[in-house]
Amino acid sequence: MEDRPYKCPICHSGLKTEGGMKSHLSRQHEMPAALDALGKNYEAKYKSMLEENAVLKKQLEQIKGELVKTRTDLVQALDEGLKKYAEINRLNGEMQKMGLIIAFRDSFIKEKLGITMPLPS
Ligand SMILES: [Zn+2]
């Protein structure tokens, strides 16, 4: 049996040389252009893919950084919002207390002195 180490990827014929396989492919399967293009530009394509990968990785790192910063900003904004909310609650409570004190004072004045205090407008 002859040594035919080059196998056709399409019909699995064995061929002696790489050139033989190429011409087999072009004659039998009519696909020389695609293979030649791939063969000639393979290294350049591989290199440019590596470069693209590096660029994408960098972009990913940037996006990760932005995400962390945005998250920090959000936490800060939420914290400030909660503080403001707490302050509003506190002021509301104060207002209610003041209202009660005023109402109590007014009823005390009315009861003891017979004076009706005007309602605050
Ligand atoms: Zn074939």
Side-chain angles (χ1 to χ4, degrees):
M1 193 180 153
E2 262 182 305
D3 190 20
R4 292 171 181 268
Y6 294 91
K7 301 282 174 212
C8 171
I10 295 161
C11 69
H12 304 290
S13 298
L15 295 128
K16 285 185 213 170
T17 62
E18 195 180 349
M21 192 181 74
K22 273 187 181 170
S23 60
H24 162 85
L25 281 167
S26 81
R27 269 179 294 136
Q28 301 296 316
H29 306 298
E30 293 180 3
M31 53 182 310
L35 277 171
D36 274 3
L38 186 67
K40 273 183 207 153
N41 296 323
Y42 178 75
E43 235 171 293
K45 276 181 188 168
Y46 182 64
K47 230 178 151 183
S48 79
M49 272 168 67
L50 285 182
E51 276 162 23
E52 269 173 43
N53 260 3
V55 170
L56 286 174
K57 254 185 208 166
K58 224 185 234 175
Q59 283 175 347
L60 184 66
E61 287 306 310
Q62 225 169 358
I63 289 169
K64 268 189 201 164
E66 276 170 34
L67 184 66
V68 167
K69 197 197 168 303
T70 304
R71 208 181 272 160
T72 309
D73 287 351
L74 180 65
V75 167
Q76 238 165 30
L78 277 173
D79 193 45
E80 272 165 40
L82 281 175
K83 273 182 198 158
K84 280 181 188 155
Y85 185 70
E87 180 65 8
I88 286 167
N89 268 347
R90 193 185 66 75
L91 289 172
N92 264 337
E94 293 283 300
M95 268 171 63
Q96 273 175 352
K97 254 189 257 167
M98 294 294 255
L100 282 175
I101 289 166
I102 289 167
F104 181 75
R105 186 203 62 184
D106 286 359
S107 77
F108 182 80
I109 288 170
K110 193 180 173 188
E111 199 183 302
K112 297 289 176 192
L113 308 172
I115 300 165
T116 302
M117 295 299 284
L119 286 168
S121 54

